[in-house]
């Protein structure tokens, strides 16, 4: 390979002991003799420097330890598509005599029918669904070879190979007229600035996976002209920022995966809001914390994302209820996943999930769990009750003529009025907040005085307000050593000085007589 | 022609059947109305796919009009669940006579399913089976889908299996049984029903693939991220497993190409016929294309407890037989490498006297998933069927629960009322105790 290397080699992708890199330099590096390749590793910590050596800048890396010099023969420049294909699928059926017996747990492993599988797979022209992942594919090979060898391929996994430019991909795809699914993940591709691929190259392509390829949005749109039938597009982990609206491209796309692109913010989402067929949008792990649809007012439906049925917002920073309120504006949304957001983790998580169900009326699936009708009903009733007090304080009223909740309340709870219409406005009784029923909340601290017996010390006791007068007398009888039948009780309250109220009915409770905390019981016999 | 009849009994059996036939139709390119999708038809012209034609006739019967009718029978003692099929997406796929329903359900009671109500409907069912069998030129046997804990699934199935043994003597009978989940019990008497039906069916069944609801719930939770899976998702998961197990019956394949082979490969003794199923990979649709699983990865995954469909620990037991069936774009080279890497795992222990060995096969037909479903489509998958002594854990758990209730004679009157006797309970329990002993014995070293 050494003598055939030319400066063309710059930009090529290579693999060295399993680690991938891009060639950035080819030449001499004095004072050491011989030719060197300067490479920028995919792993920024793998290298020794950033392309400079001994004061001279040979090439540039984006990371101080991203580069190395290596001898050309150490780099694997990969193979062409067909060589990789043959390597993987064409095999000699093993001679039984030469076959090595593998044992697992002392039992020989018997492979059945491998001979016919190998034979079948060797018929390259019949192959339809193949994977050449990590096969060091770096180019398409001679023109026409692929078309004559394996024209029927429909699904190709070319992830983690050494393809370096989009042109190489189109060279391959041009010869696979039936190509429907193409996975190019983890190939760092250079995209063309000039005219896109010839018409018809990706005519049948339905699914394209470009995860971790470093592609930019502009490059996607530019090449998308050549993907007229595309239905699913995966662009995970590319550090993408959506920079422009897809004007005439991506119009049939039903699924868009933009997960793990931390540079996306909510304003960029407006640019993809009018893709007519977009049904499923995956926005996991993009660091988003808010979302809004400014074209629709409170309680109205937005014209954005008209076909969106399923939205994935896992692993983000959503902590505001306003986001959930905005999601209710989507016309077709019926499935939402928002796991691992501040709003949906923690001690309040279960309650919050119920509120999410209540706030988005047409939701049928939340976090991949189906929302059953009883569950929706329960969630909506709970939500209505939980915010009933706030609603009243904001001007809500059971009588529709007087019902005028403030704008701030309606903005925070857009579905509240609809829920009131569905289940009726919350009754006042429902809204009373329960005092926790602890015994200590029910106890009255009372002074006990014996006005006719000055030598008797005043006592203080804590009695439950439900205690009957008879029982109070019994208690006092034991305390004062006086028979129950001799006791006469009355009480006076600091709120009404000078006035004594007789406690004459033994069957009634202290509460019946409105005895309150701090009052004084008067005992006579 | 080696046709297989699928019989779906009770709610579990029927709903699993729904998921299975839905998946089979997808895999064979059959529309919900029974006709083949147009573009596939062109391919059928090519010589290679003539085999495909022959193979899927094991499961589908082609009418003169070109419609493909499943060779299946759905039976329930009450109409609600079957009505779901009658009015569902696949209503035109089945002939009305294939959907048999009674009027009153078995109320989670083995006795009602077996004696009182079951006996009223058994003749009709056998007649329908006879009709389906007549359409076959060389019936291999039956695949029976049912739950162990339900009334119809337990009671009616044991009655049916007895009659099938009498009428169809030597035809193989494979079962797919849903084992009651300890933590997600739907009826408190599930242990009773399960023990009774297992005792009764033990001699009549040739091989039973158990599926444990708890294992399925855990898979849905941990691998698919669904905390509270609906029955739809669980049944689709089971459908994937069943599809893997029956793949070689329906497509040209190397391993387990007919029902007898299952027995030969997996069952060393007639009573020890409960292989465990595991399959991989199981990936959520939201994570499609996020991570790649190599052949080595999915092979290792099969030996992990989290990929098993029955909760038990094979590391504590010994294997008596093992079958690995790969599906999709898998090359022999990769499989050989994956197996060689497995060699070093000393947790895989076989019994000393192992007759069958470790069989590995590849079926090139790619695995498929329902569009819009919870699982992502993958290019390569693997299903492992292993007969391990560890599965006795499942029986031990169930026997224990049975004992707890039986000691107090709890709920027995429901069964006695329908004409059963206490002796049947003790007999059944004794049989299961013997089963536990049998497993212990086969696992012992010389």
């Amino acid at each position: 390979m050494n003598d055939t290397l030319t400066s063309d080699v710059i930009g090529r992708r290579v693999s060295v002991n399993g680690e991938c890199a891009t060639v950035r330099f080819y030449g001499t590096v004095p004072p050491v003799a011989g030719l060197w390749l300067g490479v920028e590793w995919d792993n920024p910590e793998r290298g020794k420097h950033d392309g400079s050596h001994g004061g001279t800048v040979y090439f540039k890396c984006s990371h101080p330890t991203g580069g190395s010099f290596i001898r050309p023969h150490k780099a694997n420049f990969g193979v062409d598509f067909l060589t990789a294909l043959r390597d993987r699928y064409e095999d000699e059926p093993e001679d039984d005599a030469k076959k090595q017996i593998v044992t697992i747990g002392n039992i020989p492993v018997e492979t059945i029918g491998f001979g016919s599988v190998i034979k079948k797979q060797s018929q390259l022209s019949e192959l339809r669904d193949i994977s050449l992942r990590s096969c060091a594919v770096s180019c398409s090979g001679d023109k026409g070879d692929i078309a004559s060898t394996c024209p029927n391929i429909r699904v190709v996994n070319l992830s983690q190979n050494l393809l370096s430019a989009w042109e190489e991909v189109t060279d391959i795809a041009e010869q696979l007229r039936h190509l429907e699914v193409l996975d190019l993940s983890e190939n760092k591709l250079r995209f063309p600035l000039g005219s896109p691929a010839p018409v018809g190259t990706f005519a049948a392509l339905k699914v394209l996976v470009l995860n971790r390829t470093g592609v930019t949005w502009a490059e996607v749109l530019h090449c998308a002209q050549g993907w007229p039938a595309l239905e699913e597009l995966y662009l995970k982990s590319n550090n993408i920022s959506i920079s422009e609206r897809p004007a005439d491209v991506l119009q049939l796309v039903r699924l868009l995966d933009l997960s793990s692109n931390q540079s996306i913010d909510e304003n960029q989402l407006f640019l993809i809001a009018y893709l007519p067929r977009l049904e499923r949008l995956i926005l996991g792990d993009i660091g988003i914390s808010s979302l809004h649809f400014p074209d629709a007012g409170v309680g109205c439906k937005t014209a954005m994302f008209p076909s969106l049925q399923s939205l994935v917002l896992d692993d983000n920073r959503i902590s505001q209820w306003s986001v959930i309120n905005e999601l209710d504006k989507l016309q077709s949304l019926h499935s939402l996943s928002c796991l691992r957001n501040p709003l949906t983790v923690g001690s309040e998580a279960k309650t919050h999930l119920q509120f999410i169900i209540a706030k988005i009326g047409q939701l049928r699936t939340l976090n991949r769990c189906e929302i059953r009708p009883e569950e929706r009903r329960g969630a909506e009733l709970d939500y209505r009750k939980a915010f009933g007090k706030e609603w009243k304080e904001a001007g809500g009223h059971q009588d529709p003529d007087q019902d005028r909740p403030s704008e701030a309340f309606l903005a925070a709870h857009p579905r509240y009025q609809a829920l009131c219409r569905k289940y009726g406005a919350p009754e006042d009784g429902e809204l009373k907040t329960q005092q926790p029923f602890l015994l200590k909340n029910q106890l009255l601290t009372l002074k006990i005085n014996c006005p006719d017996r000055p030598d008797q010390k005043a006592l203080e006791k804590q009695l439950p307000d439900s205690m009957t007068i008879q029982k109070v007398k019994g208690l006092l009888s034991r305390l004062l050593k006086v028979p129950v039948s001799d006791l006469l009780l009355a009480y006076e309250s600091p709120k009404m000085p000078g006035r004594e109220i007789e406690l004459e009915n033994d069957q009634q409770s202290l509460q019946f007589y409105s005895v309150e905390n701090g009052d004084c019981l008067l005992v006579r016999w | 022609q080696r046709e297989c009849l699928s019989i779906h009994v009770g709610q579990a059996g029927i709903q699993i059947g729904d998921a299975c036939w839905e998946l089979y139709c997808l895999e064979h390119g059959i529309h919900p109305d029974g006709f083949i999708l147009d573009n596939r038809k062109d391919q059928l012209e090519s010589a290679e796919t003539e085999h495909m034609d022959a193979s899927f006739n094991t499961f589908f019967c082609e009418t003169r009009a070109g419609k493909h009718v499943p060779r299946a029978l759905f039976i329930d003692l009450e109409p609600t669940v079957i009505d779901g099929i009658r009015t569902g997406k696949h209503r035109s796929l089945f002939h009305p006579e294939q959907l048999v329903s009674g009027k009153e359900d078995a109320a989670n009671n083995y006795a009602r399913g077996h004696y009182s109500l079951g006996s009223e409907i058994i003749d009709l069912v056998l007649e329908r089976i006879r009709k389906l069998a007549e359409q076959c030129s060389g019936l291999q046997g039956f695949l029976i889908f049912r739950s162990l804990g339900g009334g119809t699934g337990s009671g009616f199935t044991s009655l049916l299996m007895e009659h099938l043994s009498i009428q169809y003597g030597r035809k193989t009978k494979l079962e797919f049984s849903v084992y009651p989940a300890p933590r997600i019990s739907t009826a408190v008497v599930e242990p009773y029903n399960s023990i009774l039906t297992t005792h009764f069916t033990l001699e009549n069944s040739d091989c039973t693939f158990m599926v444990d609801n708890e294992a399925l719930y855990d898979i849905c939770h941990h691998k698919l991220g669904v905390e509270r899976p609906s029955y739809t998702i669980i049944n689709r998961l089971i459908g994937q497993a069943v599809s893997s197990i029956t793949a070689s019956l329906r497509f040209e394949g190397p391993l387990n190409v007919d029902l007898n082979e299952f027995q030969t490969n997996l069952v060393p003794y007639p009573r020890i016929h409960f292989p465990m199923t595991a399959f991989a990979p199981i990936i959520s649709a939201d994570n499609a294309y996020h991570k790649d699983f190599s052949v080595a990865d999915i092979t290792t995954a099969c030996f992990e407890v989290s990929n098993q469909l029955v909760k038990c620990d094979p590391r504590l037991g010994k294997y008596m037989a093992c079958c690995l069936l790969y599906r999709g774009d898998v090359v022999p080279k990769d499989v050989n490498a994956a197996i060689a890497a497995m060699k070093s795992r000393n947790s895989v222990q076989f019994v000393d006297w192992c007759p069958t060995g470790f069989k590995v096969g590849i079926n090139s037909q790619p695995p498929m998933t329902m569009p819009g479903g919870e699982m992502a489509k993958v290019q390569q998958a693997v299903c492992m069927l292993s007969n391990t002594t560890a599965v006795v854990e499942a029986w031990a758990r169930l026997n224990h629960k049975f004992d707890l209730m039986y000691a107090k004679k709890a709920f027995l009157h429901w069964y006695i009322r329908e004409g059963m006797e206490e002796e049947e309970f003790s007999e059944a329990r004794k049989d299961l105790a013997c089963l536990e002993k049998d497993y212990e014995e086969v696992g012992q070293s010389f």
Side-chain angles (χ1 to χ4, degrees):
Chain A
M1 190 73 192
N2 302 3
D3 18 335
T4 52
L5 282 187
T6 60
S7 56
D8 275 2
V9 86
I10 302 208
R12 292 278 298 272
R13 299 272 299 154
V14 294
S15 107
V16 183
N17 291 333
E19 296 244 20
C20 295
T22 315
V23 177
R24 296 272 185 234
F25 167 81
Y26 176 54
T28 52
V29 181
V32 187
L35 292 164
W36 291 91
L37 285 175
V39 298
E40 179 176 10
W41 299 101
D42 284 1
N43 174 3
E45 281 151 41
R46 170 72 174 74
K48 296 209 170 83
H49 50 73
D50 65 349
S52 346
H53 179 71
T56 323
V57 175
Y58 291 92
F59 61 95
K60 283 212 163 54
C61 288
S62 38
H63 200 275
T65 55
S68 293
F69 288 108
I70 57 169
R71 288 291 185 193
H73 67 263
K74 290 234 176 211
N76 176 8
F77 279 83
V79 295
D80 67 279
F81 185 89
L82 271 187
T83 308
L85 189 72
R86 291 213 157 89
D87 216 27
R88 185 167 150 78
Y89 292 100
E90 273 180 354
D91 203 1
E92 290 305 311
E94 279 171 339
D95 205 357
D96 271 342
K98 289 199 287 181
K99 196 157 113 174
Q100 259 199 331
I101 309 280
V102 184
T103 61
I104 290 190
N106 295 326
I107 299 294
V109 174
E110 218 183 300
T111 56
I112 310 213
F114 275 21
S116 65
V117 171
I118 291 175
K119 228 172 92 182
K120 187 165 166 210
Q121 287 176 338
S122 300
Q123 308 219 29
L124 300 178
S125 55
E126 300 296 328
L127 290 176
R128 294 161 55 91
D129 193 323
I130 65 163
S131 170
L132 291 176
R133 180 179 163 82
S134 296
C135 290
V137 175
S138 58
C139 58
S140 58
D142 292 332
K143 245 190 167 27
D145 271 357
I146 297 178
S148 52
T149 314
C150 50
N152 288 313
I153 290 180
R154 275 160 178 66
V155 176
V156 183
N157 182 345
L158 274 170
S159 59
Q160 216 179 65
N161 279 300
L162 298 174
L163 294 163
S164 53
W166 185 250
E167 280 88 17
E168 278 151 22
V169 175
T170 52
D171 283 346
I172 296 172
E174 214 172 30
Q175 306 181 54
L176 299 174
R177 292 276 135 174
H178 302 284
L179 190 62
E180 285 178 17
V181 177
L182 179 58
D183 187 349
L184 290 167
S185 303
E186 295 171 84
N187 285 293
K188 288 212 179 326
L189 299 168
R190 258 191 341 263
F191 282 84
L193 302 162
S195 55
V199 170
T201 304
F202 292 102
L205 191 67
K206 292 214 178 89
V207 177
L208 181 59
V209 187
L210 291 170
N211 298 339
R212 277 187 276 266
T213 52
V215 68
T216 66
W217 185 252
E219 286 164 353
V220 168
L221 291 194
H222 184 73
C223 295
Q225 293 170 42
W227 311 327
L230 196 66
E231 291 180 9
E232 294 179 22
L233 181 58
Y234 297 82
L235 295 168
K236 181 178 155 92
S237 297
N238 285 310
N239 215 9
I240 279 187
S241 298
I242 303 175
S243 50
E244 48 187 287
R245 252 177 95 140
D248 292 310
V249 293
L250 303 180
Q251 298 297 305
L252 293 181
V253 167
R254 287 185 298 113
L255 182 154
L256 186 56
D257 183 351
L258 288 167
S259 48
S260 301
N261 286 298
Q262 298 278 330
S263 311
I264 294 186
D265 66 43
E266 52 167 315
N267 293 318
Q268 292 175 30
L269 293 176
F270 297 151
L271 295 169
I272 49 168
Y274 295 99
L275 290 169
R277 299 277 176 93
L278 189 63
E279 289 171 9
R280 196 166 149 79
L281 184 57
I282 304 180
L283 295 175
D285 186 34
I286 60 173
I288 200 170
S289 53
S290 67
L291 213 60
H292 68 289
F293 302 111
D295 65 325
V298 168
C300 301
K301 292 292 179 191
T302 174
M304 301 194 190
F305 296 106
S307 309
L308 191 65
Q309 295 177 13
S310 163
L311 180 60
V312 175
L313 288 170
D314 297 337
D315 301 292
N316 278 306
R317 303 211 203 108
I318 297 172
S319 55
Q320 305 290 338
W321 284 111
S322 53
V323 178
I324 308 295
N325 291 337
E326 290 293 308
L327 290 177
D328 188 39
K329 291 180 181 173
L330 289 166
Q331 291 175 34
S332 317
L333 188 72
H334 63 69
S335 165
L336 174 68
S337 187
C338 52
L339 300 162
R340 297 177 292 273
N341 280 284
L343 197 60
T344 55
V345 300
S347 51
E348 295 289 299
K350 285 207 159 60
T351 315
H352 286 186
L353 289 177
Q354 297 292 294
F355 285 173
I356 292 176
I357 294 175
K359 277 175 176 285
I360 308 180
Q362 65 223 29
L363 208 58
R364 287 185 266 159
T365 309
L366 177 60
N367 293 346
R368 301 174 204 156
C369 300
E370 206 183 306
I371 301 170
R372 291 171 303 237
E374 322 79 76
E375 198 183 342
R376 168 158 288 283
R377 190 184 146 81
E380 289 178 343
L381 286 172
D382 277 348
Y383 176 73
R384 173 178 148 275
K385 183 167 168 186
F387 292 98
K389 195 151 167 252
E390 223 180 277
W391 170 73
K392 284 225 91 166
E393 284 166 7
H397 201 279
Q398 282 91 352
D399 180 355
D401 292 329
Q402 299 181 41
D403 183 31
R404 263 171 246 112
S406 67
E407 283 211 18
F409 180 85
L410 288 177
H413 303 276
R415 274 203 87 214
Y416 202 86
Q417 301 290 75
L419 291 179
C420 288
R421 283 193 293 275
K422 188 171 173 184
Y423 298 106
E427 301 290 320
D428 281 343
E430 280 180 83
L431 302 180
K432 235 181 22 178
T433 42
Q434 287 257 18
Q435 283 288 3
F437 190 79
L438 296 171
L439 189 58
K440 67 176 178 164
N441 289 344
Q442 319 299 333
L443 291 178
L444 305 168
T445 308
L446 300 171
K447 293 196 279 285
I448 301 173
N449 262 344
C450 309
D452 296 342
R453 308 288 158 118
D455 49 326
Q456 182 64 45
K457 266 195 321 204
L459 302 165
E460 199 173 81
K461 280 267 170 237
Q462 280 188 321
L463 303 174
D465 62 357
S466 54
M467 195 170 183
T468 58
I469 304 303
Q470 186 172 41
K471 295 267 162 64
V472 177
K473 281 186 179 172
L475 174 68
L476 291 171
S477 154
R478 288 194 294 278
L479 282 176
L480 302 169
K481 316 272 191 289
V482 176
V484 175
S485 43
D486 289 354
L487 288 173
L488 291 166
L489 289 188
Y491 84 97
E492 67 176 4
S493 171
K495 293 186 194 163
M496 297 174 297
R499 215 176 126 205
E500 264 185 39
I501 299 163
E502 223 182 304
L503 303 171
E504 81 267 338
N505 191 337
D506 280 358
Q507 306 306 319
Q508 294 294 357
S509 65
L510 290 170
Q511 190 189 41
F512 176 79
Y513 288 106
S514 306
V515 177
E516 286 174 5
N517 220 6
D519 290 348
C520 180
L521 284 181
L522 304 165
V523 191
R524 294 185 180 89
W525 62 97
Chain B
Q1 299 285 54
R2 307 277 296 148
E3 296 94 348
C4 298
L5 275 189
S6 299
I7 304 182
H8 304 273
V9 186
Q11 178 178 357
I14 292 171
Q15 288 181 336
I16 292 173
D18 199 16
C20 286
W21 288 102
E22 196 179 39
L23 191 54
Y24 293 166
C25 285
L26 195 65
E27 291 179 356
H28 294 280
I30 297 176
H31 262 307
D33 61 3
F35 291 93
I36 297 245
L37 296 166
D38 282 348
N39 57 8
R40 285 277 187 134
K41 219 176 181 163
D42 297 13
Q43 292 161 20
L44 282 178
E45 249 100 75
S46 90
E48 181 217 290
T49 47
E50 259 168 27
H51 310 292
M52 239 169 78
D53 215 0
S55 285
F56 79 68
N57 275 339
T58 48
F59 274 64
F60 289 86
C61 173
E62 191 174 353
T63 65
R64 255 186 249 131
K67 185 168 156 177
H68 296 267
V69 183
R71 298 187 194 276
L73 190 65
F74 291 74
I75 307 155
D76 199 3
L77 291 177
E78 57 103 15
T80 333
V81 183
I82 290 215
D83 281 345
I85 309 249
R86 287 189 180 121
T87 55
K89 189 168 147 209
H90 292 96
R91 57 184 177 277
S92 358
L93 190 61
F94 303 101
H95 191 279
E97 289 207 336
Q98 294 177 278
L99 307 171
V100 180
S101 60
K103 297 206 184 49
E104 214 186 326
D105 84 332
N108 285 317
N109 188 333
Y110 173 93
R112 281 168 73 91
H114 189 117
Y115 298 105
S116 21
L117 296 176
S119 54
E120 290 169 24
I121 208 177
I122 184 71
D123 290 324
L124 175 62
V125 168
L126 288 171
E127 186 210 308
R128 296 282 164 86
I129 293 180
R130 171 67 46 193
K131 270 209 186 130
L132 285 171
E134 276 163 17
Q135 290 171 345
C136 306
S137 55
L139 178 65
Q140 288 189 51
F142 304 91
L143 298 170
I144 294 139
F145 296 76
R146 51 83 166 252
S147 69
L148 294 177
T152 314
S154 63
F156 187 74
T157 309
S158 55
L159 181 64
L160 178 64
M161 298 278 273
E162 199 188 357
H163 283 268
L164 287 179
S165 290
I166 296 172
Q167 283 191 18
Y168 298 89
R170 279 168 299 138
K171 308 280 183 196
T172 314
K173 292 191 282 301
L174 290 193
E175 276 186 80
F176 290 87
S177 301
V178 179
Y179 173 94
R183 286 182 305 177
I184 314 149
S185 218
T186 44
V188 95
V189 291
E190 284 173 344
Y192 280 166
N193 294 335
S194 309
I195 304 290
L196 288 168
T197 188
T198 305
H199 159 62
F200 219 93
T201 327
L202 207 50
E203 325 171 311
N204 298 319
S205 166
D206 298 303
C207 187
T208 303
F209 296 98
M210 287 208 296
V211 161
D212 172 353
N213 262 341
E214 191 177 327
L216 290 171
Y217 272 76
D218 280 350
I219 289 178
C220 283
H221 190 165
H222 297 124
K223 297 202 187 284
L224 297 177
V226 184
E227 253 186 61
R228 247 187 23 227
S230 59
Y231 273 147
T232 317
I233 296 180
I234 303 264
N235 289 332
R236 284 196 182 149
L237 204 51
I238 300 179
Q240 286 292 331
V242 175
S243 166
S244 297
I245 295 172
T246 58
S248 293
L249 297 168
R250 294 177 292 118
F251 297 102
E252 199 186 78
L255 194 54
N256 296 333
V257 292
D258 62 37
L259 297 180
N260 280 327
E261 234 189 274
F262 280 104
Q263 260 186 291
T264 322
N265 287 338
L266 290 171
V267 182
Y269 292 106
R271 278 162 69 89
I272 313 289
H273 64 237
F274 299 95
M276 194 186 58
T277 318
F279 74 96
I282 305 171
I283 309 175
S284 162
D286 286 344
N287 287 332
Y289 302 109
H290 285 188
K291 203 177 153 213
D292 200 85
F293 291 87
S294 65
V295 171
D297 291 332
I298 59 180
T299 309
T300 329
C302 278
F303 290 89
E304 274 164 29
V305 173
S306 56
N307 280 74
Q308 287 166 202
L309 298 189
V310 181
K311 272 218 170 320
C312 66
D313 195 350
R315 293 168 298 194
L316 300 177
K318 297 207 180 126
Y319 287 90
M320 290 169 275
C322 199
C323 290
L324 266 181
L325 186 67
Y326 292 86
R327 280 184 90 173
D329 173 57
V330 178
V331 294
K333 257 198 293 208
D334 289 346
V335 174
N336 287 330
I339 305 268
M342 281 291 309
K343 224 169 83 134
S344 52
R345 287 172 75 106
N346 40 20
S347 55
V348 179
Q349 265 200 337
F350 273 82
V351 289
D352 294 338
W353 52 268
C354 180
T356 44
F358 202 119
K359 299 214 158 78
V360 180
I362 300 178
N363 192 312
S364 324
Q365 213 56 32
M368 303 197 104
T369 52
M370 293 308 303
E374 271 313 315
M375 290 185 281
K377 190 157 183 299
V378 291
Q379 276 186 306
Q380 301 127 342
V382 64
C383 174
M384 179 170 90
L385 298 175
S386 52
N387 199 340
T388 161
T389 56
V391 104
V392 75
E393 266 176 57
W395 296 120
R397 282 199 301 261
L398 213 48
N399 287 340
H400 176 65
K401 289 187 128 58
F402 180 100
D403 291 338
L404 288 175
M405 287 199 294
Y406 191 61
K408 300 280 198 268
K409 308 277 189 272
F411 305 105
L412 274 189
H413 63 281
W414 292 111
Y415 296 82
I416 314 262
R417 258 173 38 164
E418 301 287 341
M420 274 185 74
E421 291 174 0
E422 265 192 51
E423 279 75 52
E424 291 187 61
F425 279 77
S426 40
E427 214 181 277
R429 178 64 183 91
K430 274 207 201 84
D431 196 8
L432 270 280
C434 287
L435 186 64
E436 273 190 74
K437 277 237 164 52
D438 290 342
Y439 267 97
E440 215 182 304
E441 259 180 50
V442 297
Q444 274 165 4
S445 320
F446 287 131

